Amino acid sequence: MRRRRRQDARAAELLPQVISQSYLERLGSKPLLTFSATPEDESLLLKRAFDFTMALVALVVLSPLLLVLALLVKLTSHGPILFSQTRCGLGGRRFTLYKFRSMRADADLLRMNWRH
């Protein structure tokens, strides 16, 4: 008995959702279907300006609270007020993260000793 081939039309779950744009390109004689979710027009610049403005407003509004937190950290423990750590972002780009210290100043060194 021969098996019949069956074709199913299903939604491709691996393909990007509606928010992306698709382009048909060629690599030599091979067709390529390229997806891009990054806007390529002035909307990206507008979003950057909006993000920067809102961050600046939030910093000004929250600055009294941030000052109180900094004083509390300094008064309750020795060491720096801020903790800094290098992390990897989008595309492997490294950046330095700063946050209020909530643990001992030498917590990273102590953690290494606990493992051994």
Side-chain angles (χ1 to χ4, degrees), residues 12-103:
E13 295 174 8
L14 298 177
L15 297 178
Q17 300 297 319
V18 179
I19 60 169
S20 63
Q21 296 177 344
S22 59
Y23 304 96
L24 184 59
E25 300 174 332
R26 292 205 169 272
L27 180 63
S29 63
K30 306 274 186 196
L32 296 176
L33 190 56
T34 306
F35 294 95
S36 173
T38 306
E40 295 179 356
D41 54 3
E42 65 277 348
S43 65
L44 191 59
L45 180 62
L46 289 174
K47 183 186 179 323
R48 171 76 173 142
F50 176 77
D51 289 346
F52 182 81
T53 304
M54 293 309 293
L56 189 62
V57 168
L59 186 62
V60 169
V61 169
L62 295 175
S63 61
L65 176 64
L66 297 175
L67 182 61
V68 169
L69 285 173
L71 286 172
L72 286 172
V73 169
K74 192 62 178 172
L75 292 174
T76 58
S77 64
H78 299 291
I81 295 170
L82 296 176
F83 170 76
S84 64
Q85 187 178 50
T86 302
R87 295 196 178 178
C88 286
L90 185 64
R93 194 173 82 189
R94 293 183 175 270
F95 66 96
T96 303
L97 171 81
Y98 296 98
K99 61 183 180 177
F100 287 110
R101 189 172 49 82
S102 60
M103 296 173 59

Side-chain angles (χ1 to χ4, degrees), residues 83-87 99 103-116:
F83 170 76
S84 64
Q85 187 178 50
T86 302
R87 295 196 178 178
K99 61 183 180 177
M103 296 173 59
R104 294 175 52 152
D106 58 351
D108 283 342
L109 298 174
L110 290 174
R111 185 179 68 175
M112 293 297 180
N113 291 335
W114 290 337
R115 289 183 181 176
H116 299 297

